[in-house]
Amino acid sequence: MTRVLLHLIAGALGGLAVWLIAEPVPWLTSDDRQFVDLAAMSVLGAMMGLGIGGALGAAEGLSRGSTRQAWNYALGGMGLGLLGGFLGIYLGQSIYGPWTEFNRRLEAFGGAALPVVFFSGIMARTVGWACIGLFIGLATGLLIFSPRRLSSGAVGGLIGGALGGFCFEIIARIVQVPELSRGIGFTLVGAGTGLGISLAHQLAKQAWVRVVMGRNEGRDYLLEKESNILGRDEMADVPLFGDPAIGKHHAFILRKSGIWHLRDAGSPAGTLVNGSAVQERPLQEGDRIAIGRYQLEFHSKGGQAIPVPERDAAPAKAPQAVPSSACAFCGVQKHPITGACACTPLGQPAPAPAGGGPIPITTANPPIVGSGGPASSVGVVDLVVTSGPYAGQRFAVSGSASIGRQEGNTIALPADPSVSRRHATLAPAPSGLQVRDEGSSNGTFVNGRRVTDATLRPGDELQVGETRMRLA
């Protein structure tokens, strides 16, 4: 709604500015002429297009968070709006003039014809200003070079201009002060055109990305072209400022055969989707795009279904039997003496060996901490990754351990950019693992609750960045 309000205010200010400039010039606004001066009307229409088009162009640039885009779109809107206003008022006057003449003749009958004259006069003004709004809307649509923006701009301008013209005529009949009614009318026409165009763009949007981390956090960028640029360039469709690691044209979001794709432009820093580096891949609803310090979320109206090619479908494999020497639950080979496996809870006594006797204590085959492989001895706990870039991997932990994005951590997660270099530490505890956050940027969570120091028990979920792990 902020975007819609910005365009409404910008359009109103553009219309008001035109009135302030034009009203002191009798040639443009005089009410004493017997015949319409088409030259004066054409100049006034061009001024309307220039003022409203320039204001709406500036609003479009500001809504994208770019000062350069605001200036460029303002200048472009002024030029295209001038032409649109000229054509719009020429077409509008060609309709309004004969219609008004018909109303005058109808008015001569008096009596029952007067209500018809009243409503017909309002409709004449409404249709006339709708033509101006239509061409101004087309002009603003040309700024983005998008067929979808062109059509929504035309529809929005037509409706907004008609609404402004309707209010203009009503106020003119009530106020009976030409100067004041023109001032209110021009402002309403500008506001209606801006409101109509912006609402039409919002209703017609098919896909967009939202900034969830970085500058302009929370802002949505509509994907209105077949090829949309993401990068540090001031004129990018999704501008990402303030991070030198981001290229001017860092990546593209393309529409191919009705499916939106993300393509990296060969940037040194790379582009990640849901924590995995990509060159090109189709996007799905809610996908998280990481570019430098920015995190973006992809959204599409109704979600985007990704068709799976028939050749990619593989026949389902029959489940393989688990050997008797492996655990039926986790599939890990049982310890030959104690019978312990990866899902044996910490502190639970191991089953006694066949034939009775004391349970022997062994240190054979010590585990590799953070190896991502299965545990192989008693006293080892596993963190099973359930979601994120490392989903499906298993980290065996014995003793103290550290988690972080930087290589050298016991559990290194370099593919998850939302994990801090040294994110958290783990230490053995009587009933599980003691988790301690090390001042990470995005926090450490246990069972969905942010913690600084907590005990992780079997079955609990630990989350760092986009990586979620369950203590087996």
Side-chain angles (χ1 to χ4, degrees):
M1 287 306 295
T2 304
R3 184 188 184 97
V4 174
L5 184 62
L6 178 62
H7 282 74
L8 184 150
I9 294 172
L13 291 175
L16 180 61
V18 172
W19 174 73
L20 290 173
I21 296 170
E23 189 60 42
V25 183
W27 179 64
L28 294 173
T29 58
S30 176
D31 299 299
D32 299 330
R33 290 185 296 236
Q34 184 177 1
F35 301 102
V36 174
D37 189 332
L38 288 179
M41 290 297 295
S42 299
V43 171
L44 185 61
M47 289 176 64
M48 286 287 290
L50 184 145
I52 297 174
L56 294 180
E60 180 64 33
L62 290 174
S63 70
R64 294 167 178 263
S66 169
T67 306
R68 183 178 170 188
Q69 285 193 25
W71 280 108
N72 285 0
Y73 284 154
L75 293 173
M78 290 170 70
L80 293 169
L82 186 145
L83 178 61
F86 174 81
L87 295 174
I89 206 164
Y90 186 83
L91 177 61
Q93 186 59 36
S94 68
I95 297 172
Y96 179 77
W99 198 330
T100 304
E101 183 61 30
F102 169 77
N103 288 340
R104 285 175 184 162
R105 293 180 182 179
L106 193 62
E107 193 174 6
F109 290 96
L114 292 180
V116 178
V117 173
F118 176 79
F119 287 108
S120 182
I122 293 174
M123 289 305 300
R125 181 77 72 177
T126 300
V127 172
W129 280 106
C131 294
I132 298 176
L134 167 67
F135 278 90
I136 294 176
L138 283 169
T140 59
L142 286 171
L143 288 173
I144 310 297
F145 300 109
S146 162
R148 188 176 292 110
R149 171 61 74 105
L150 199 64
S151 59
S152 61
V155 171
L158 182 71
I159 295 172
L163 178 64
F166 177 83
C167 296
F168 185 177
E169 185 67 17
I170 294 291
I171 290 170
R173 291 172 181 267
I174 295 173
V175 175
Q176 296 293 323
V177 180
E179 295 81 7
L180 181 59
S181 64
R182 270 193 296 270
I184 297 173
F186 282 25
T187 304
L188 287 176
V189 167
T193 304
L195 175 65
I197 291 172
S198 184
L199 282 176
H201 292 332
Q202 291 294 321
L203 293 174
K205 71 179 182 181
Q206 296 297 314
W208 63 98
V209 291
R210 177 171 299 152
V211 181
V212 294
M213 187 182 299
R215 183 173 167 183
N216 297 322
E217 190 171 309
R219 177 167 287 164
D220 289 347
Y221 292 96
L222 306 186
L223 303 175
E224 299 177 294
K225 303 178 184 177
E226 295 301 302
S227 177
N228 302 271
I229 301 169
L230 292 75
R232 209 173 70 246
D233 192 331
E234 284 275 1
M235 295 304 293
D237 301 292
V238 183
L240 307 173
F241 305 131
D243 188 346
I246 297 176
K248 285 196 168 185
H249 291 185
H250 193 102
F252 299 89
I253 294 181
L254 316 166
R255 187 177 177 88
K256 300 195 298 187
S257 302
I259 301 297
W260 292 98
H261 290 247
L262 177 72
R263 177 189 295 168
D264 183 76
S267 57
T271 303
L272 305 179
V273 176
N274 300 330
S276 301
V278 299
Q279 288 301 315
E280 182 173 343
R281 61 162 282 177
L283 292 169
Q284 299 191 60
E285 173 67 22
D287 274 352
R288 185 69 68 92
I289 303 167
I291 298 179
R293 294 198 295 264
Y294 280 82
Q295 294 277 337
L296 310 171
E297 262 184 7
F298 171 80
H299 296 282
S300 60
K301 188 174 286 186
Q304 177 171 247
I306 308 298
V308 179
E310 194 172 321
R311 58 184 173 81
D312 290 341
K317 294 182 180 179
Q320 296 181 352
V322 179
S324 58
S325 58
C327 174
F329 298 99
C330 64
V332 174
Q333 197 79 10
K334 297 178 184 177
H335 192 278
I337 298 176
T338 66
C341 63
C343 59
T344 302
L346 187 67
Q348 176 176 314
I359 299 174
I361 299 174
T362 178
T363 57
N365 302 320
I368 301 174
V369 180
S371 64
S376 57
S377 67
V378 182
V380 178
V381 293
D382 274 6
L383 288 170
V384 181
V385 183
T386 57
S387 67
Y390 297 90
Q393 293 196 40
R394 183 186 295 265
F395 294 100
V397 179
S398 175
S400 298
S402 62
I403 305 174
R405 192 177 75 248
Q406 194 172 31
E407 295 292 345
N409 283 287
T410 312
I411 300 177
L413 307 172
D416 191 339
S418 43
V419 172
S420 296
R421 292 171 183 251
R422 183 176 173 84
H423 198 108
T425 55
L426 305 171
S431 57
L433 284 177
Q434 196 71 20
V435 182
R436 177 171 295 168
D437 185 81
E438 295 294 320
S440 63
S441 301
N442 297 315
T444 301
F445 298 81
V446 172
N447 297 329
R449 195 177 59 143
R450 187 165 184 166
V451 299
T452 54
D453 200 328
T455 300
L456 193 67
R457 295 177 174 83
D460 285 346
E461 183 185 72
L462 170 67
Q463 180 177 354
V464 292
E466 297 293 325
T467 303
R468 296 184 181 183
M469 299 175 275
R470 179 178 52 81
L471 181 61

